Every structure is written in C-alpha cells, then in structure tokens.
Amino acid sequence: MAYKCAICGKAPVSGGSYSHSNLRTKRSFKPNLQKQKVVLEGKTQTAYICANCIKSGKAQRPTK
C-alpha cells in the first residue's frame, strides 16, 4: 500500500531542507495520514486518510 490518502490522493512531495548557512539537502514532506475505518465505494474498509479529509468531513465513518 502506497503512503497516500485514500480519498484525496495526497502523497509525499520532495523539497529542500535549508540550514542557517543556506545549504540545501533533499527531504520529503509527508502528509498527516491516520488509519481509520471509512466507507469507500459502499464498503467499510480500513484505509489511510489525511487529517484534512477527516476534519472537513470527506471521510464518511461507518454507521453502527
């Protein structure tokens, strides 16, 4: 399973980490993924969902 949000598709992106002397090294910015039970395509599944989708209500939780 890729490190990607199951709803919006948010994935790691690469960039630069800059020191005080402005030297650059490569680094990756990872999304804040949480493992949750959600309804995807009409089925209850455990998936990785980003915090933005959880807060905005895009992640539909299963009803009991």
Side-chain angles (χ1 to χ4, degrees):
M1 177 182 272
Y3 195 80
K4 183 188 274 191
C5 177
I7 296 176
C8 67
K10 190 179 285 188
V13 293
S14 62
S17 180
Y18 291 89
S19 68
H20 180 69
S21 62
N22 211 27
L23 293 176
R24 185 175 78 93
T25 57
K26 291 291 240 176
R27 61 159 290 185
S28 64
F29 294 91
K30 296 182 179 177
N32 183 7
L33 297 183
Q34 308 293 322
K35 197 174 195 179
Q36 288 205 338
K37 285 187 179 179
V38 292
V39 177
L40 292 174
E41 295 144 13
K43 299 177 194 165
T44 301
Q45 297 178 356
T46 301
Y48 286 103
I49 310 296
C50 69
N52 288 344
C53 289
I54 295 169
K55 287 181 196 176
S56 66
K58 290 180 187 174
Q60 182 182 359
R61 299 294 302 259
T63 56
K64 292 186 178 183

